[in-house]
């Protein structure tokens, strides 16, 4: 027997309609290439979004067709998100920081028909335009005054395009399982793979994101996503924040600029900011060197890579800001776990609390987790056993776009293999020890490169640390520690190794330390271990 509840589709356009009604006067502030500080209201945003939807309707697109964006975080990008997805097309966010060959591969693989492009990214597209023949035209996200000379085919100015349209538009109603957005993983091995989100998964994920134990978002929050709109939908913020009516602040092309971020956080009264650890390093360094405190920020969600304990401490002790660590991935929309405390943890000492926040976190409702050994046997949640981390739930991909099961990413019983190795403790808090391919195998045992990196980052003279396995005749592999010294600091190998003693297991102490000026990062801010392993492939460890 079915229940007697209305059958209304969970569509992203419903967020927009709700936000328009209830939070019409709420503000959206953006830094853009053509305006250092643009400011308008939700109402104005949605009026323009409807104009854009009308313009898209005249391009001859069919439901499910892909329309790409190559753009930084700002209001026009947000409008494109909703106009494309809300109309029933698929908003394909492309990461402009990828190698041009990857951008070409992704656009062709997705068969994007039109591309919305930020003024600053036009030169990148001009260079590859002849390799993406399927694209019918380009919308340059600026006004007439800033419109560049360009040879991009059918280039139109965003403001001109929408200016000609009516602001009346009826959002179509269709099956909530229709695709809404597409995002490719960065493809550190092999070609990038497309993750295709749908309306239902997006809404369910947004409900989870706003809940108190996750981001605790409400209309009294002001949110600054430093995580890009092209990286897993900025962790769902465009949907979650609008669902509850938060003020939004977008940093545009200034995402890596500590001074601009600091200014926005203070002037706009930002209560929550989100980003990967590297962007917060830049902000904390700026605040330190300028002798400034973050006065307004209350909490920050950090994920995408393990958060060093030192960063959690610096935010708390210097700025009175709570760090909420999150773990997830493109394939998971991305939220999987969040390191918020549980009942009974009120009595923890400040140091014990830091240890909780340094874990990747506990599973949120909607994400089931398990860890399994090589044979697929489930391992206990005892804080000691580790295994491959597998997940399932309504916002986790069931396959990759146009790969039809060929990636081997899913188990026969319907779980997604994350490619991460993890430990889960008795309280359900999970810690990532490594990516499966980065694990260091020493004498038949595994060493966690992430744990060593995090511990090393606790040394005052260390700006960044990376650990890789290097071939060893007796132990198969041994850890090599790669360090960038903090500005002006002096630190030598033996001093650092001695300092690590007692902080990590004795047999985890790296066999050697090399000091470098730069550590390579992926387009999404993770340490590029593949590159490091290549660089140090012939490295001879001291005997
Ligand atoms: P990419 O496109 O680079 O794969 P993702 O954001 O999808 O970007 O990367 C997901 C991976 O990032 C996870 O599988 C995990 O290895 C790593 N990661 C994310 N959050 C954390 C975290 N809090 N701690 C450790 N690793 C993390």
């Amino acid at each position: 027997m079915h229940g007697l509840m209305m059958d209304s589709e969970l569509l992203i356009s419903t967020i927009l309609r709700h936000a328009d009604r209830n939070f019409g006067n709420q503000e959206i502030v953006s830094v853009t290439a053509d305006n250092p500080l643009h400011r308008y209201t939700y109402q104005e945003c949605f009026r323009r979004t409807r104009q854009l939807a009308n313009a898209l309707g005249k391009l001859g697109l069919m439901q499910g067709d892909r329309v790409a964006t190559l753009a930084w975080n700002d209001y026009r990008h947000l409008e494109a998100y909703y106009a494309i997805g809300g109309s029933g097309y698929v908003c394909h966010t492309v990461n402009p920081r990828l190698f041009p060959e990857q951008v070409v591969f992704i656009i062709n693989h997705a068969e994007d028909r039109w591309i919305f492009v930020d003024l600053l990214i036009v030169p990148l597209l001009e260079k590859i335009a002849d390799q993406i023949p399927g694209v019918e035209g380009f919308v340059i996200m600026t006004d007439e005054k800033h419109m560049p000379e360009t040879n991009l085919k059918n280039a139109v100015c965003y403001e001109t395009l929408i200016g000609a349209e009516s602001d009346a538009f009826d959002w179509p109603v269709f099956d909530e399982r229709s695709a809404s957005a597409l995002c490719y993983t960065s493809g550190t091995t092999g070609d990038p793979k497309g993750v295709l989100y749908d309306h239902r998964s997006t809404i369910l994920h947004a409900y989870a994101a706003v809940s108190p134990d996750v981001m605790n978002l409400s209309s009294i929050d002001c949110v600054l996503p430093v995580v890009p709109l092209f990286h897993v939908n900025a962790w769902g913020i465009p949907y979650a924040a609008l669902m509850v009516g938060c003020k939004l602040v977008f940093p545009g092309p200034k995402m890596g600029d500590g001074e601009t971020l600091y200014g926005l956080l203070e002037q706009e009264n930002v209560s929550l900011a989100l980003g990967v650890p590297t962007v917060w390093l830049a902000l904390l360094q700026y605040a330190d060197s300028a002798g400034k405190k973050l006065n307004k920020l209350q909490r920050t969600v950090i994920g995408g890579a393990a958060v060093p304990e030192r960063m959690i401490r610096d935010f708390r002790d210097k700025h009175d800001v709570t760090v909420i660590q999150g773990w997830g991935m493109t394939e998971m929309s991305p939220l999987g776990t969040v390191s918020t405390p549980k009942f009974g943890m009120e009595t923890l000492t400040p140091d014990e609390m830091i240890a909780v926040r340094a874990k990747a976190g506990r599973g949120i409702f909607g994400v089931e987790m398990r860890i399994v050994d090589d044979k697929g046997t489930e391992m206990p949640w005892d804080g000691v056993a580790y295994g491959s981390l597998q997940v399932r739930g309504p916002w986790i991909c069931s396959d990759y776009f146009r790969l039809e099961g060929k990636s081997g990413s899913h188990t026969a019983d319907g779980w997604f293999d994350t490619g991460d190795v993890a430990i889960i403790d008795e309280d359900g808090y999970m810690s990532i020890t490594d990516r499966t391919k980065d694990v260091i195998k020493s004498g038949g045992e595994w060493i966690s490169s992430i744990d060593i990196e995090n511990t090393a980052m606790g040394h005052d003279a260390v700006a960044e640390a990376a650990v890789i396995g290097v071939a060893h005749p007796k132990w198969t592999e041994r850890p090599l520690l790669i360090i960038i010294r903090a500005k002006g600091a002096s630190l030598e190998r033996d001093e650092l190794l001695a300092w690590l003693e007692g902080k990590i297991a004795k047999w985890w102490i790296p066999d050697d330390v090399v000091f470098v000026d730069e550590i390579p990062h992926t387009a999404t801010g993770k340490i590029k271990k593949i590159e490091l392993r290549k660089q140090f492939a012939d490295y001879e460890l001291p005997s």
Side-chain angles (χ1 to χ4, degrees):
M1 182 168 65
H2 279 164
L4 291 171
M5 289 293 125
M6 287 189 190
D7 190 15
S8 48
E9 308 287 349
L10 301 175
L11 300 176
I12 64 167
S13 55
T14 60
I15 298 182
L16 200 143
R17 291 215 316 269
H18 173 77
D20 202 2
R21 255 285 143 105
N22 293 282
F23 313 110
N25 295 328
Q26 185 58 284
E27 272 190 317
I28 299 172
V29 179
S30 310
V31 177
T32 66
D34 57 19
N35 187 342
L37 205 63
H38 174 275
R39 191 182 292 275
Y40 70 172
T41 62
Y42 272 26
Q43 234 158 36
E44 179 71 358
C45 169
F46 303 148
R47 192 180 61 72
R48 288 164 50 89
T49 303
R50 292 191 299 270
Q51 287 180 297
L52 179 55
N54 277 320
L56 287 170
K58 293 184 181 155
L59 296 178
L61 300 165
M62 307 290 286
Q63 260 231 334
D65 278 351
R66 273 76 59 204
V67 177
T69 62
L70 275 108
W72 304 114
N73 288 10
D74 67 27
Y75 68 102
R76 290 192 187 103
H77 201 172
L78 182 74
E79 292 165 6
Y81 251 65
Y82 275 94
I84 298 168
S87 300
Y89 317 125
V90 177
C91 180
H92 174 204
T93 51
V94 183
N95 182 345
R97 291 186 185 136
L98 295 174
F99 292 120
E101 315 77 270
Q102 289 180 315
V103 174
V104 168
F105 171 86
I106 288 174
I107 292 172
N108 288 334
H109 187 264
E111 295 186 356
D112 295 326
R113 291 190 56 184
W114 275 76
I115 295 184
F116 282 74
V117 55
D118 192 283
L119 200 50
L120 299 172
I121 304 170
V122 169
L124 166 74
L125 279 185
E126 284 173 337
K127 280 197 201 104
I128 60 167
D130 59 339
Q131 298 169 66
I132 45 173
V135 178
E136 293 161 37
F138 298 83
V139 181
I140 319 282
M141 298 164 94
T142 190
D143 53 21
E144 280 294 342
K145 201 168 118 211
H146 296 89
M147 193 59 188
E149 284 282 324
T150 177
N151 53 14
L152 286 176
K153 180 166 67 181
N154 294 328
V156 286
C157 165
Y158 185 97
E159 294 299 331
T160 314
L161 180 76
I162 69 167
E165 298 297 333
S166 153
D167 63 7
F169 183 79
D170 277 335
W171 295 104
V173 176
F174 41 78
D175 180 357
E176 65 187 22
R177 291 186 186 267
S178 307
S180 60
L182 176 64
C183 181
Y184 281 69
T185 61
S186 19
T188 33
T189 49
D191 286 330
K193 296 193 280 289
V195 179
L196 190 61
Y197 310 103
D198 61 39
H199 287 257
R200 175 187 143 87
S201 70
T202 304
I203 300 274
L204 294 177
H205 182 266
Y207 270 125
V210 300
S211 64
D213 266 2
V214 182
M215 294 186 197
N216 191 16
L217 283 183
S218 77
S219 66
I220 55 173
D221 274 309
C222 173
V223 181
L224 176 93
V226 189
V227 51
L229 287 166
F230 55 74
H231 189 202
V232 214
N233 300 316
W235 299 348
I237 283 298
Y239 308 112
L242 264 58
M243 184 181 258
V244 294
C246 305
K247 174 177 169 184
L248 269 173
V249 181
F250 287 124
K254 300 285 192 178
M255 284 188 290
D257 175 352
E259 186 172 0
T260 305
L261 290 181
Y262 180 85
L264 289 172
L265 291 166
E266 291 293 302
Q267 287 151 31
E268 301 300 331
N269 273 315
V270 174
S271 55
L272 171 75
L274 307 92
V276 296
T278 32
V279 303
W280 297 137
L281 268 184
L283 176 73
L284 290 170
Q285 273 163 9
Y286 168 76
D288 266 354
S289 62
K292 289 181 172 163
K293 181 177 183 297
L294 295 162
N295 299 302
K296 308 287 171 55
L297 191 66
Q298 296 163 8
R299 56 200 197 281
T300 161
V301 174
I302 314 183
V307 185
E309 259 193 51
R310 162 117 168 255
M311 183 173 284
I312 305 174
R313 262 179 220 286
D314 276 0
F315 266 117
R316 185 193 65 182
D317 299 343
K318 296 182 181 167
H319 303 284
D320 210 9
V321 171
T322 303
V323 168
I324 303 168
Q325 174 158 194
W327 165 84
M329 49 201 310
T330 307
E331 290 86 339
M332 299 174 66
S333 301
L335 289 174
T337 64
V338 179
S339 72
T340 43
K342 273 173 49 171
F343 171 74
M345 290 182 168
E346 320 78 69
T347 52
L348 293 184
T349 63
D351 274 356
E352 287 168 336
M353 201 59 231
I354 293 271
V356 171
R357 297 204 177 274
K359 298 191 174 186
R362 59 194 163 92
I364 54 187
F365 176 70
V367 177
E368 269 184 277
M369 289 193 290
R370 70 179 185 189
I371 41 175
V372 301
D373 67 10
D374 289 349
K375 295 183 198 72
T377 310
E378 213 178 321
M379 308 296 285
W381 291 19
D382 60 5
V384 181
Y386 51 81
S388 298
L389 179 60
Q390 300 181 343
V391 290
R392 64 178 180 191
W395 56 80
I396 294 163
C397 72
S398 59
D399 197 355
Y400 291 100
F401 184 51
R402 294 182 164 165
L403 269 186
E404 285 89 30
K406 285 194 214 92
S407 70
S409 51
H410 289 73
T411 66
D413 58 347
W415 292 71
F416 171 68
D417 197 327
T418 62
D420 283 329
V421 177
I423 293 177
I424 308 180
D425 70 18
E426 293 89 342
D427 289 319
Y429 286 80
M430 183 273 286
S431 308
I432 301 282
T433 62
D434 257 311
R435 293 293 288 169
T436 316
K437 50 187 186 296
D438 295 336
V439 156
I440 301 166
K441 292 164 209 98
S442 176
E445 294 283 347
W446 283 4
I447 294 178
S448 162
S449 64
I450 293 185
D451 274 0
I452 307 177
E453 285 159 9
N454 277 348
T455 311
M457 293 277 285
H459 193 293
D460 282 343
V462 172
E464 192 166 13
V467 173
I468 53 165
V470 172
H472 189 281
K474 180 167 174 202
W475 303 109
T476 319
E477 274 187 328
R478 287 295 301 158
L480 171 68
L481 176 56
I482 300 159
I483 294 286
I484 302 181
R485 288 191 190 93
K487 235 188 223 146
S490 63
L491 176 69
E492 296 306 328
R493 170 191 187 275
D494 293 345
E495 186 187 346
L496 181 57
L497 292 180
W499 182 86
L500 285 173
E501 268 171 42
K503 297 187 176 71
I504 51 174
K506 204 168 164 40
W507 62 281
W508 285 23
I509 301 276
D511 282 29
D512 209 358
V513 183
V514 285
F515 294 93
V516 295
D517 293 329
E518 215 179 313
I519 289 177
H521 286 94
T522 67
T524 50
K526 296 181 217 305
I527 296 174
K528 235 188 209 164
K529 297 265 173 106
I530 290 201
E531 192 78 27
L532 284 177
R533 278 195 290 268
K534 263 192 225 151
Q535 214 172 312
F536 292 97
D538 302 322
Y539 193 80
E540 287 204 20
L541 294 166
S543 46

